[in-house]
Amino acid sequence: MSASVFSPPHLPPPFVNTVPPPTLISQGAEALLYRTHFLQSTHPCALKYRPSKPYRHPTLDARLTKHRILSEARTMVRMRKEGLKVPGVLGVDCEPAHGDNARKGGGGWMMMEWVEGQTAKDLLVAVKETRKSCGREEVLREQVRNLMHRIGTILCKMHEIGVIHGDLTTSNLMIRHGAQQPHGITDGHAEGHGRANNTSGIETEPILREALVNGEVVLIDFGLATSSIQDEDKAVDLYVLERAFGSTHPEAEDEFNEVLKAYGESSRGARVVLKRLEDVRLRGRKKSMIG
Amino acid sequence: MALIQTLSLAHLPPSLAVHVALYQEVTNASFLQQQLLLGNSDFEYAFIDASVILSPNHLLAAVFRAVNDSDNGRLKSRNVHSEIVFALSPNNNIATSFRTFGILPTTRSLLVVKISTNPSITASSISQHLSATIEGTAIEFSKDNISKFTDIKKVKKIYKIGNKTDVQERKNRGSEKGTVVGELDDKKEMEVVILGMMALRGQT
């Protein structure tokens, strides 16, 4: 067999009509993520398409796809209702088609609000690059801690309503751009305003600061989310993030502690979870050793 | 003269035009409702009480879902127009959804939606029929006009939202409550939650 260039599967209806066609922005094992628009072309949205898997029995395939799309969408709607920042669900289609469209491909899709911004991962990588060249390392560290604090708070809120994310990584945390205000006004209160002029050579620095200090933390990708109020599950959720953070951003491991600190301060039950996290660290994320 | 607006929703085939009209001070709502109940095929419209519609986006999301379901052979009600009314509902009872979102004898402000299911249906043919049958004043289908009729309290009750989030929001916002910006934010937030509930309706 010759190696062929990967081509993403065709999108199902109604997206065959979409002008301009959705652009693929990311792909995982289960789903493809596109950028497209909602009902008007001026309203950007994200489209998560789960194609059917040809190697699965069609009945099982339809059931799994449907179940996964729905559980993800339900979690997101529930969180949004509770006032947590996640992309809103705009539309869902996970039923097999009948009639003319019946054979045009299985799978299902979900449309979500578009989050304008960058992932925490990209942001932290950019910080790392800048940190080397600008002379203000301690200021940047402080700003990263500020961001970590907000992440910890939102994670605690999420756990409080009984949602376990299941796949916490810095790629699944978006930092939404703050309102497009001129930098000088928004960070008038931030220290180091005068010093910023001295480091005029580094242009990325003010943009980074804007995201670090004012960016809104939005949780994404609830494909593996479950519902639980057990301390064990919450602790494992945090442990997964801790490990992911440590391997992706080893240079910022100290700042990560700020996540846990903020988490612990955010609710009464959170301290118990942090205690539990210490146990989890010693044994790994699987409690039962079966399977 | 009826003021018909013809829209084409993204992703749907351009041949499937969506025609929308908005009326205020409608006086013959019970006659119109009667035609629907009798199944008069000349009255194949989605007649929606404008007081339960939050924004154009709210209505159009329902249209989108109904047309998509119709396209995929998944209609749960009689036709795509009744499906639009049903698509607005947060739960699965068709009769209740008609009573909540559809036209009632007491309806004063009315939204009319018609899908061009075949080429003979055009904006002008609809316009003629509507101006002959609806006794009311046609006004432009715009965001501002829609929000003029919205009964926010009623909408919150129907979708069972507001209480918890609202109280929290108010607390968080503290001093700036009641400002225009705060109000807008609130409505946008409501719209997002409502669209989510509509999207999940009937998916088991």
Side-chain angles (χ1 to χ4, degrees):
Chain A
M1 251 170 94
S2 64
S4 58
V5 182
F6 170 78
S7 66
H10 291 293
L11 281 168
F15 303 103
V16 286
N17 306 308
T18 308
V19 189
T23 43
L24 184 65
I25 42 179
S26 172
Q27 173 179 16
E30 295 282 337
L32 299 115
L33 190 72
Y34 291 84
R35 186 196 163 117
T36 179
H37 47 271
F38 193 43
L39 302 174
Q40 285 101 28
S41 53
T42 48
H43 184 180
C45 83
L47 172 69
K48 188 167 184 174
Y49 171 48
R50 290 178 181 267
S52 71
K53 305 226 176 243
Y55 51 80
R56 281 197 299 231
H57 186 281
T59 311
L60 176 66
D61 184 63
R63 255 174 71 171
L64 286 173
T65 305
K66 187 174 166 179
H67 179 258
R68 286 171 187 171
I69 291 175
L70 274 182
S71 69
E72 179 171 9
R74 282 201 192 105
T75 309
M76 288 169 73
V77 171
R78 179 149 80 94
M79 289 184 71
R80 194 63 190 245
K81 255 196 206 163
E82 298 279 352
L84 274 146
K85 297 295 174 205
V86 296
V89 176
L90 302 174
V92 165
D93 188 334
C94 58
E95 301 268 354
H98 303 284
D100 294 346
N101 286 338
R103 292 167 142 266
K104 286 190 190 161
W109 53 262
M110 166 165 78
M111 279 199 270
M112 298 167 273
E113 268 183 309
W114 183 258
V115 179
E116 197 62 60
Q118 55 190 330
T119 62
K121 181 180 172 184
D122 290 345
L123 184 61
L124 289 171
V125 169
V127 167
K128 185 180 159 195
E129 298 301 313
T130 315
R131 211 146 86 169
K132 286 183 217 150
S133 53
C134 89
R136 315 175 51 218
E137 192 168 339
E138 202 32 58
V139 178
L140 265 177
R141 274 186 193 279
E142 184 52 42
Q143 284 162 358
V144 171
R145 274 198 287 274
N146 185 325
L147 175 71
M148 294 300 137
H149 194 92
R150 278 174 289 144
I151 292 174
T153 313
I154 191 170
L155 292 181
C156 187
K157 270 193 213 158
M158 175 181 81
H159 283 172
E160 241 182 305
I161 63 165
V163 173
I164 306 297
H165 185 283
D167 187 21
L168 282 175
T169 61
T170 42
S171 306
N172 287 338
L173 294 164
M174 290 287 295
I175 312 300
R176 201 200 303 260
H177 289 321
Q180 266 80 43
Q181 291 150 309
H183 293 303
I185 295 172
T186 52
D187 59 17
H189 59 277
E191 39 58 79
H193 189 58
R195 266 198 284 166
N197 297 332
N198 302 336
T199 55
S200 55
I202 303 134
E203 277 158 26
T204 52
E205 202 259 324
I207 304 167
L208 284 182
R209 178 177 48 204
E210 175 62 26
L212 288 171
V213 179
N214 291 323
E216 184 180 38
V217 180
V218 182
L219 295 161
I220 58 164
D221 193 357
F222 290 86
L224 293 172
T226 50
S227 200
S228 165
I229 51 162
Q230 304 261 308
D231 291 336
E232 169 73 18
D233 298 321
K234 296 177 183 177
V236 168
D237 218 21
L238 291 176
Y239 178 70
V240 169
L241 178 63
E242 188 176 65
R243 292 294 295 261
F245 199 95
S247 57
T248 325
H249 315 284
E251 79 289 347
E253 248 191 310
D254 288 347
E255 281 82 1
F256 180 79
N257 288 327
E258 193 64 29
V259 173
L260 300 180
K261 196 176 142 218
Y263 184 93
E265 289 164 357
S266 298
S267 89
R268 250 176 290 148
R271 300 205 163 269
V272 191
V273 178
L274 292 182
K275 262 256 151 359
R276 191 62 167 256
L277 176 60
E278 288 167 20
D279 299 345
V280 178
R281 279 194 194 114
L282 295 177
R283 71 169 133 85
R285 102 193 137 80
K286 297 264 189 201
K287 187 178 187 187
S288 84
M289 289 299 168
I290 308 161
Chain B
M1 241 308 275
L3 274 170
I4 302 265
Q5 247 150 95
T6 302
L7 318 160
S8 66
L9 295 185
H11 314 298
L12 300 179
S15 59
L16 274 179
V18 179
H19 308 280
V20 191
L22 177 60
Y23 287 86
Q24 62 181 358
E25 283 143 35
V26 175
T27 51
N28 63 336
S30 58
F31 165 77
L32 297 169
Q33 189 200 19
Q34 208 55 42
Q35 301 311 306
L36 295 182
L37 292 175
L38 293 171
N40 185 343
S41 58
D42 292 341
F43 284 81
E44 233 192 62
Y45 296 103
F47 284 137
I48 293 157
D49 193 314
S51 67
V52 293
I53 299 300
L54 194 66
S55 61
N57 230 2
H58 180 198
L59 176 71
L60 295 177
V63 173
F64 180 77
R65 168 147 190 205
V67 173
N68 186 46
D69 280 349
S70 151
D71 219 29
N72 289 315
R74 290 188 301 233
L75 287 187
K76 296 267 162 56
S77 60
R78 205 174 332 176
N79 57 50
V80 71
H81 297 101
S82 54
E83 197 78 8
I84 292 173
V85 182
F86 182 39
L88 287 163
S89 176
N91 58 51
N92 248 336
N93 189 318
I94 297 177
T96 311
S97 75
F98 290 174
R99 254 177 280 130
T100 318
F101 297 95
I103 190 169
L104 290 174
T106 51
T107 299
R108 299 277 290 155
S109 49
L110 179 69
L111 270 162
V112 184
V113 185
K114 176 89 177 168
I115 312 290
S116 286
T117 39
N118 70 58
S120 68
I121 301 167
T122 62
S124 66
S125 75
I126 298 168
S127 168
Q128 261 175 19
H129 185 236
L130 288 183
S131 24
T133 48
I134 297 184
E135 288 164 17
T137 319
I139 56 169
E140 195 198 351
F141 171 70
S142 67
K143 207 172 179 173
D144 289 343
N145 279 340
I146 291 284
S147 61
K148 236 174 26 192
F149 299 123
T150 311
D151 184 342
I152 299 258
K153 244 188 181 162
K154 206 160 139 192
V155 174
K156 280 188 178 170
K157 201 177 151 200
I158 291 168
Y159 291 100
K160 298 191 179 76
I161 47 173
N163 304 334
K164 205 189 290 173
T165 352
D166 213 40
V167 171
Q168 270 175 1
E169 287 278 304
R170 286 283 134 77
K171 258 190 215 155
N172 296 345
R173 228 176 261 139
S175 58
E176 52 171 323
K177 71 174 173 196
T179 59
V180 181
V181 182
E183 185 114 317
L184 255 180
D185 256 16
D186 222 0
K187 225 173 148 181
K188 240 182 164 170
E189 195 57 34
M190 260 174 80
E191 186 188 286
V192 169
V193 172
I194 288 174
L195 292 197
M197 293 171 76
M198 280 165 49
L200 286 179
R201 199 266 302 141
Q203 317 271 20
T204 44

